Amino acid sequence: MSSSVNLRLAPLTAIGFADRAQLVNLQWNEDVMKRWVLILAVTLGFCMAQKLPAAQVGLIKIDGAIGPATASYIARAVALSGDRKDECLILQLDTPGGLLESTKHIVQSFYNSPVPTVVFVAPAPAHAASAGTFITMAADVAAMAPHTRIGAAHPVSIGMGGSSGEEKPDDVMKKKIENDTAKDIENIAAKRHRNVEWARSAVVDSVVISAK
């Protein structure tokens, strides 16, 4: 990961809040997320109607496992997007998972973000697996391109998504990790007014859903 943040300035019209991007919202009857999507859509419509310059948003892409370098990269992007007073920061995500501790740092960065955060799982057949589920659900707005998927967030070994070369925990420790991780995602879902029951099932039962 580069030491500098490659935070691209992108016009709102180019990102995917227009119909041609075919975003599928992870709504689960979530009034808060609907409101954010509506705000962004109205902003886009107003700019187009008034022939004003398109609103500027930050855009970064994560394609791969989640680790300390990823968490640091996202934290710097959040800070830079706030300094620039972007309309929002969009994180395009495709990940098989990663480390639990790094995931927690990313979630905290989203909570402390001075600008709205948007996670867009894309392009197909991208997935927000394991740690990616936590990251997606922690954003202010969560969206998925068609034919992408999210879930399978059961902890494997110590890391979210697993790691090689580690001693496997015993059954008691595995249950402790599972319960703690399940509570983490429940808290994230509750904070963002999302489906707590589904969030827990993604951890406990490794449930996966897809965007049609």
Side-chain angles (χ1 to χ4, degrees), residues 12 39-51:
L12 191 59
I39 290 170
L40 290 166
V42 168
T43 301
L44 170 60
F46 178 78
C47 290
M48 293 177 68
Q50 300 297 321
K51 296 182 179 179

Side-chain angles (χ1 to χ4, degrees), residues 89-91 93 110 117-121 135-136 139 141-144:
L89 172 64
I90 297 176
L91 190 163
L93 182 65
F110 281 3
T117 53
V118 180
V119 169
F120 179 28
V121 183
I135 294 167
T136 302
V141 177
M144 298 174 69

Side-chain angles (χ1 to χ4, degrees), residues 9 15 21 31 33 39 42 46 52 54 59-60 72 75 77 82-83 90 97 103 128 164 167 174 183 207:
L9 271 175
I15 293 301
D31 292 337
M33 182 163 15
I39 290 170
V42 168
F46 178 78
L52 297 176
L59 173 63
I60 58 174
S72 176
D83 290 343
I90 297 176
T103 302
S164 60
E167 182 179 347
K174 285 194 292 187
K183 182 55 66 175
V207 171

Side-chain angles (χ1 to χ4, degrees), residues 26-36 78 89 104-119 133-142 184-196 199:
L26 295 178
Q27 295 189 24
W28 298 315
N29 296 319
E30 302 165 25
D31 292 337
V32 172
M33 182 163 15
K34 288 179 181 178
R35 188 157 59 247
W36 275 115
V78 166
L89 172 64
K104 289 180 177 179
H105 287 310
I106 294 169
V107 169
Q108 194 62 51
S109 292
F110 281 3
Y111 286 173
N112 295 334
S113 176
V115 300
T117 53
V118 180
V119 169
T133 306
F134 288 73
I135 294 167
T136 302
M137 296 190 71
D140 292 299
V141 177
D184 276 346
I185 204 166
E186 286 178 4
N187 289 338
I188 292 169
K191 181 176 178 63
R192 294 306 195 198
H193 305 282
R194 298 194 166 117
N195 190 318
V196 175

Side-chain angles (χ1 to χ4, degrees), residues 120-209:
F120 179 28
V121 183
H127 58 165
S130 197
T133 306
F134 288 73
I135 294 167
T136 302
M137 296 190 71
D140 292 299
V141 177
M144 298 174 69
H147 312 296
T148 58
R149 62 197 188 279
I150 184 173
H154 193 282
V156 179
S157 187
I158 301 301
M160 297 298 299
S163 58
S164 60
E166 292 182 352
E167 182 179 347
K168 293 183 179 180
D170 59 30
D171 289 343
V172 173
M173 181 58 68
K174 285 194 292 187
K175 192 62 179 177
K176 287 182 177 180
I177 294 170
E178 178 186 294
N179 289 342
D180 186 59
T181 307
K183 182 55 66 175
D184 276 346
I185 204 166
E186 286 178 4
N187 289 338
I188 292 169
K191 181 176 178 63
R192 294 306 195 198
H193 305 282
R194 298 194 166 117
N195 190 318
V196 175
E197 183 178 350
W198 182 89
R200 179 178 177 81
S201 69
V203 170
V204 176
D205 301 318
S206 295
V207 171
V208 177
I209 58 173

Side-chain angles (χ1 to χ4, degrees), residues 3-28:
S3 60
S4 62
V5 177
N6 182 22
L7 185 58
R8 200 178 101 198
L9 271 175
L12 191 59
T13 51
I15 293 301
F17 294 102
D19 289 342
R20 62 178 174 271
Q22 296 181 293
L23 294 191
V24 178
N25 301 320
L26 295 178
Q27 295 189 24
W28 298 315

